Amino acid sequence: MKINVLDHQTIDKIAAGEVVERPASVVKELVENAIDSGADAVTVEIKEGGISFIRVTDNGGGIEKTEIRNAFLRHATSKITSAEDLTDLVSLGFRGEALASISAVSMVEAISKTEEDLTGVRYVIEGGMEKELEEIGAPNGTTIIVRNLFYNTLPRKKFLKQPQTEGSYVADLMEHLALSHPQISFHFIVNGQNRFHTSGNRDLKEIIYRIYGKDIAGAIDEIHVQKEDFAIDGFLGRPVINRSNRNYELFYINGRFIKSNLLSKALEDSYKEYLMQHKFPFCVLHLTIDTKRIDVNVHPTKMEVRIAGGQEFYERMRDIIYDCLHMREMIPEMTFDKEQGRKDTGRDRSEKESVPEPFEVRRIKQEKEMRKRPESGHAKAAEPAPSAEQSENVNKVPAERKPDRNVVHEPARYAAGGKQAAPLQQMELFDDKLLSEKAREHYEIIGQLFDTYWLISYQNKLLIIDQHAAHEKVKFERFMKQFHAHSIVSQNLNPPVVVTLNGKEKACLLRNMEHFLALGFVIEEFGGNDYALSSVPMDLYGYQEAELFYELLDELSEETGAGTPDGIRMKIATSACKAAVKGNTRISHTEAEALIDELLSLENPYNCPHGRPTIIAMSKYELEKKFKRIVT
Ligand code: ADP
Ligand code: MG
């Protein structure tokens, strides 16, 4: 057998598979290079999901003419010189294989200029073969255009999904990148249309606003924790914006977007009592950890990270987030105002001179025209600073400041002109939490509305408590407290209540018998399909036990797959509490007072066990505005 030594193009093509899987991986590598180059503005443009066209333009350090060939050679990197450097890695790239791999499987055009040079360089390389190398005029920085990905590796091309799907992967990636570097202005263009444009003014909340919109940006709380060996900065979503998948659990370690089961678990466990089933928190968390404690060199795409001391780290993270959540008032605040479009922040525009756009003359011109129209919306880092007159006007126009409809918390910092508009107080600014002993002396129960809601005045707010949710919550908490303290108190039913179960219910009961017993139920066979309920948990006593029990089994049998014992007990407890408060509408003023007192003494009074809010608030300010006592 003859052993062939493969030529470098073939080697590159094979190796490319590791780094370049799809358009999103190309964009990732190119943007990481742009970031590593010190750019503070990066534009990414894709067409056909990035399959036919990807352009990444930065205003960073550029590549010297004499180096451009080297940049496209495998294992050519300016970022490390030996393996020792890996432990102190600060740059995103280090393998020196991205450009080589990308150019092996596509048609690449690179244009670059360093600040020191008067002219730039243009380099064309297709399928690993150099096509052109010439000196040209160019702005400082680098543009890489990647055309026709996998044009010479058709089997790989077949694995690509529809352009729309590939494009959505790129969009996800761009969102993650923009959030990972608040100091960099990112401009993302899809098929000639602006998708988002961040300002690069370091304001993470503003980026969240630009990418996810006002509802999310209005329902997040800042977290900032500095420990001896690590720091956490970012935002935690309130329960109202819990998501139905994990895609919005965004973690960054030292500026790198990562996936980590460890961190997800820490987050979810700390949110446990705020999460409905199959719901996940929203968060953007930046962790700063000593590079020696983490290993990013696990996979070429560098998304998975190993953290030294995993279990201990998990526990600390969980406790920190838990504490942050419990320090906050979680009462969603309602406003009356109508929907309004996103508003320009008008801030920091002057900070940036220009976004690098060497080939985009026509589009820039179009944008300039758009800008003349006041409602054009998004802030452009590239925009010139508004004239003094313009910015004054912005500050005076009241419409600019109106809070949004149904915004839980108006992100006050988005007010025009960058001033704190302070139309709505954020609950977190309150000195006294509603829960404190002191606060209790100051709230007043006004009465009940629609047989369901209790109105309470407190400080300058109207609080509205959902009696059902509150009741359920209080019961559930009592129940779980006893359960955790192993002091469930049961109440004998005399005579026992006999229930007749169908096959499904019976199977469900038998499967979960030990959990029922653990929660304080005593259930005995009574012949055939009959079972005798001779004891129920104290808190459920007197609540039409038979119906309650049927309902419980019903809910429980919906459950697919086996949960953890804790999960199952939690489920039984929540269903039981829900069933218990059902149909129990009118309560007296005294009962309500007791209920509300108990609710407010809980560590987390803000959500019922199913995650629905128990309390909402409306400020005096909102009311006064509605009655036009205040004109903003
Ligand atoms: P790596 O990033 O791992 O070093 P790459 O193949 O991605 O490897 O890039 C090779 C080299 O090309 C980099 O080390 C850097 O010197 C240079 N380079 C690539 N992209 C840029 C850019 N946008 N700006 C400046 N230099 C770049
Ligand atoms: Mg790189």
Side-chain angles (χ1 to χ4, degrees):
M1 200 200 311
K2 187 167 177 290
I3 297 177
N4 295 311
V5 176
L6 301 175
D7 62 54
H8 90 93
Q9 270 138 287
T10 315
I11 294 170
D12 279 353
K13 257 197 200 176
I14 295 169
E18 259 200 59
V19 183
V20 185
E21 202 189 337
R22 50 181 10 111
S25 35
V26 174
V27 174
K28 177 169 192 286
E29 293 295 335
L30 296 181
V31 173
E32 289 191 348
N33 280 349
I35 295 169
D36 284 346
S37 80
D40 62 7
V42 178
T43 298
V44 174
E45 174 168 11
I46 59 167
K47 286 175 189 158
E48 267 191 82
I51 301 168
S52 66
F53 181 91
I54 295 170
R55 173 176 69 91
V56 177
T57 297
D58 68 58
N59 64 351
I63 307 171
E64 280 171 38
K65 284 192 204 78
T66 51
E67 293 297 316
I68 193 111
R69 270 200 185 104
N70 285 341
F72 284 86
L73 289 181
R74 182 159 303 279
H75 305 307
T77 176
S78 56
K79 295 165 195 171
I80 59 170
T81 47
S82 71
E84 277 90 77
D85 293 347
L86 277 177
T87 37
D88 297 314
L89 201 66
V90 282
S91 61
L92 296 166
F94 56 83
R95 292 161 175 271
E97 57 190 359
L99 292 185
S101 298
I102 293 165
S103 62
V105 293
S106 68
M107 302 171 172
V108 175
E109 181 180 352
I111 291 151
S112 194
K113 180 182 142 354
T114 63
E115 209 179 338
E116 298 75 36
D117 282 340
L118 284 174
T119 56
V121 61
R122 175 168 170 272
Y123 185 65
V124 179
I125 173 169
E126 297 179 354
M129 301 280 280
E130 178 177 320
K131 295 280 169 181
E132 282 176 65
L133 177 65
E134 58 174 348
E135 191 173 325
I136 57 157
N140 291 343
T142 305
T143 286
I144 309 261
I145 297 174
V146 176
R147 293 190 175 91
N148 304 326
L149 186 62
F150 299 140
Y151 80 102
N152 57 351
T153 33
L154 292 177
R156 299 207 118 249
K157 190 164 180 170
K158 286 207 188 99
F159 279 107
L160 292 180
K161 304 206 170 125
Q162 292 300 313
Q164 211 178 351
T165 312
E166 293 296 341
S168 73
Y169 294 148
V170 177
D172 281 352
L173 170 80
M174 285 306 296
E175 290 170 3
H176 299 158
L177 284 168
L179 288 162
S180 71
H181 293 84
Q183 76 283 15
I184 298 176
S185 162
F186 283 95
H187 191 177
F188 181 43
I189 305 161
V190 179
N191 298 330
Q193 300 207 309
N194 286 326
R195 279 292 284 272
F196 64 76
H197 196 161
T198 65
S199 69
N201 69 3
R202 293 173 191 277
D203 187 341
L204 186 60
K205 190 164 181 176
E206 188 190 307
I207 301 171
I208 294 173
Y209 177 80
R210 294 212 173 278
I211 293 175
Y212 296 115
K214 61 179 164 33
D215 288 352
I216 291 210
I220 54 178
D221 288 307
E222 195 157 6
I223 169 170
H224 173 76
V225 176
Q226 179 73 52
K227 296 279 171 192
E228 233 166 64
D229 52 340
F230 69 91
I232 310 173
D233 289 283
F235 289 90
L236 294 169
R238 295 169 183 224
V240 276
I241 55 165
N242 286 345
R243 321 307 293 175
S244 46
N245 58 48
R246 285 202 173 84
N247 291 351
Y248 296 84
E249 295 179 359
L250 308 178
F251 299 106
Y252 298 85
I253 295 187
N254 301 341
R256 192 192 295 274
F257 176 73
I258 54 119
K259 290 268 175 211
S260 158
N261 291 338
L262 192 89
L263 289 175
S264 282
K265 184 157 168 30
L267 178 81
E268 285 159 28
D269 286 353
S270 60
Y271 264 80
K272 217 174 210 161
E273 55 193 275
Y274 298 107
L275 289 175
M276 286 198 253
Q277 284 221 315
H278 312 300
K279 289 280 184 191
F280 302 91
F282 173 96
C283 80
V284 180
L285 292 182
H286 280 270
L287 276 74
T288 314
I289 311 178
D290 184 352
T291 48
K292 291 194 176 55
R293 279 187 63 186
I294 51 173
D295 182 1
V296 291
N297 197 10
V298 181
H299 187 268
T301 60
K302 293 164 269 168
M303 203 123 105
E304 304 282 333
V305 182
R306 273 195 216 119
I307 304 169
Q311 180 61 24
E312 188 223 326
F313 190 72
Y314 152 80
E315 280 165 19
R316 287 175 69 200
M317 281 296 294
R318 181 197 58 198
D319 295 348
I320 288 170
I321 298 172
Y322 183 91
D323 288 346
C324 283
L325 292 173
H326 285 78
M327 268 153 47
R328 293 256 149 71
E329 293 278 27
M330 292 283 189
I331 307 175
E333 190 160 329
M334 296 306 169
T335 71
F336 291 116
D337 279 69
K338 293 260 173 346
E339 180 86 39
Q340 77 167 19
R342 291 182 184 189
K343 291 296 175 206
D344 202 324
T345 63
R347 278 202 296 171
D348 294 316
R349 288 182 185 176
S350 52
E351 260 181 31
K352 294 254 158 36
E353 300 274 63
S354 68
V355 162
E357 292 295 342
F359 317 111
E360 296 290 305
V361 182
R362 205 186 61 207
R363 195 174 49 72
I364 288 174
K365 206 169 130 221
Q366 276 174 357
E367 273 190 13
K368 270 193 187 137
E369 268 152 25
M370 289 262 294
R371 252 180 255 143
K372 286 184 192 141
R373 281 182 270 146
E375 67 281 356
S376 69
H378 307 267
K380 305 277 191 306
E383 284 180 17
S387 68
E389 190 196 346
Q390 272 172 338
S391 46
E392 252 203 53
N393 276 344
V394 173
N395 281 339
K396 277 180 196 156
V397 177
E400 290 272 322
R401 294 189 178 188
K402 275 200 189 137
D404 302 315
R405 179 178 55 115
N406 288 341
V407 162
V408 242
H409 279 196
E410 167 72 357
R413 48 173 97 183
Y414 299 120
K419 294 207 173 133
Q420 287 277 328
L424 278 180
Q425 278 162 308
Q426 301 202 9
M427 289 302 258
E428 64 199 331
L429 299 181
F430 275 29
D431 295 334
D432 295 333
K433 281 183 72 176
L434 185 57
L435 323 187
S436 65
E437 287 297 318
K438 203 167 119 234
R440 286 221 220 162
E441 294 164 17
H442 294 290
Y443 68 74
E444 185 196 338
I445 300 176
I446 302 166
Q448 198 191 26
L449 182 68
F450 308 139
D451 280 352
T452 308
Y453 305 105
W454 287 87
L455 307 183
I456 291 158
S457 86
Y458 173 65
Q459 289 187 340
N460 55 353
K461 291 201 177 286
L462 171 67
L463 301 177
I464 306 171
I465 296 187
D466 179 328
Q467 180 194 306
H468 262 81
H471 208 155
E472 213 178 305
K473 176 69 181 180
V474 165
K475 271 194 170 304
F476 174 76
E477 288 286 321
R478 262 194 230 149
F479 203 9
M480 285 322 266
K481 209 172 185 172
Q482 292 172 2
F483 174 68
H484 287 306
H486 303 287
S487 63
I488 291 248
V489 186
S490 292
Q491 172 72 45
N492 283 338
L493 298 176
N494 204 356
V497 174
V498 176
V499 290
T500 309
L501 304 182
N502 65 27
K504 196 172 155 202
E505 289 163 342
K506 190 170 162 181
C508 177
L509 172 65
L510 295 178
R511 205 169 49 238
N512 293 298
M513 188 59 106
E514 59 162 321
H515 303 302
F516 279 103
L517 296 181
L519 287 168
F521 290 88
V522 176
I523 306 158
E524 284 144 340
E525 283 185 38
F526 204 69
N529 288 335
D530 289 351
Y531 284 82
L533 213 55
S534 57
S535 211
V536 295
M538 183 67 161
D539 275 307
L540 304 181
Y541 181 69
Y543 285 101
Q544 299 171 323
E545 291 82 4
E547 275 85 276
L548 188 146
F549 193 65
Y550 286 127
E551 217 158 299
L552 246 176
L553 288 174
D554 220 33
E555 290 229 10
L556 207 57
S557 60
E558 303 251 296
E559 212 58 358
T560 47
T564 60
D566 257 4
I568 295 170
R569 282 167 204 184
M570 190 97 140
K571 173 86 189 161
I572 296 178
T574 44
S575 312
C577 296
K578 185 172 140 200
V581 290
K582 221 182 191 181
N584 166 18
T585 43
R586 262 240 122 92
I587 58 174
S588 73
H589 209 282
T590 334
E591 280 171 313
E593 226 164 282
L595 174 67
I596 290 163
D597 275 350
E598 187 166 352
L599 176 75
L600 295 183
S601 72
L602 299 178
E603 229 178 302
N604 163 19
Y606 314 111
N607 296 89
C608 81
H610 296 83
R612 281 187 292 112
T614 52
I615 313 175
I616 59 171
M618 187 174 292
S619 68
K620 182 173 170 217
Y621 177 89
E622 271 299 311
L623 285 166
E624 292 191 333
K625 230 171 51 173
K626 196 65 192 165
F627 287 107
K628 306 262 186 266
R629 282 165 168 271
I630 295 176
V631 184
T632 46

